Amino acid sequence: MSSPLTLISDHPGKKSDITLYMKRDDLLHPVVQGNKWRKLEPLVASLQQGKYQGILTFGGPFSNHIHAVASAGRHFGFPTAAIIRGSSVDVQNPTLAHAQACGMQLIPISKKEYDAGNSSEEVKAILDQYAGHYHLPEGGATREAMLNCAKISAEILEQTPGIPAAQRFVAVPAGTGSTAAGVVGGLGDQGTVLVFPAANYGISEERIRSGVEMAFGKTCPPFQCQNGYTFGHFASFSPELIELTREFLSQTGILLDPVYTSKMIWGLFDLLEHGHFPEGAVITAVHTGGLQGWDGFKQRFGVNIYEYLA
């Protein structure tokens, strides 16, 4: 499957003859949205071949990854379980309620034990209990996931042929950095990738670089990590981002998510406004999905973005 491109005609760089596309990975799969399907696709194939009994994974209480793994388990018919960060989380929040409805077993543990990872005796005991399951890291950050995310770049190159490397840019948001590593490794020297972290912790240039070199077995090509657009915490409420999302939806018909793609577009528009790109550049921004996050924002902050979809 290949996700389509949508031309964004109204943006701050149009006076400089800059073309902006959005790669619609939010439309990639009907059940497992965006980059989560890119990451899970190789593992689903292994599960269908009977190599594992199911998936045991990790995530926070509003995690796109948890939502996606649970959805995949229900859709493709394999068991799922998840170690959830926080021993007193609300297991009836929209994300975790959906996960349970999909049949996922939730195992909340304290943040201290969660952060300790495999050095935690509690975590090790859970891993032993699910010895027959594939133990999927938080965010689905595996070598196979990074290699499969390289298809994003391959598709962009096919969809926008004939663009000189100096004029080609790809923008991608980042949580764990595995999708970004795949895009960087896949694009190589045929353009420049701009990575927009969703938070000022948990992701770094070095982590992405190491991911590229581990997955692709080659020196990581240059890329730009745009760290100035995290808006503080990972999933914090920002009225400015909400307003940007509303305006973008009104102008393009495309709904951004509240944690990743909204920050990427904010940052991208700011860079365009300040002349960061050469005249005539062609930029493709990757929509990584994550729209289920709006249900959590509605519960936590009272933001009902869906009223703007009518």
Side-chain angles (χ1 to χ4, degrees), residues 253-271:
I254 299 172
L255 179 61
L256 305 173
D257 84 283
V259 177
Y260 295 96
T261 52
S262 56
K263 294 176 182 178
M264 173 187 68
I265 291 297
W266 179 285
L268 196 54
F269 277 18
D270 184 64
L271 294 176

Side-chain angles (χ1 to χ4, degrees), residues 57-60 63-71 82 84 95-96 99 104 106:
T57 193
F58 302 76
S63 166
N64 291 333
H65 172 67
I66 295 299
H67 190 279
V69 171
S71 299
I84 305 298
T95 301
L96 298 184
M104 174 176 273
L106 303 182

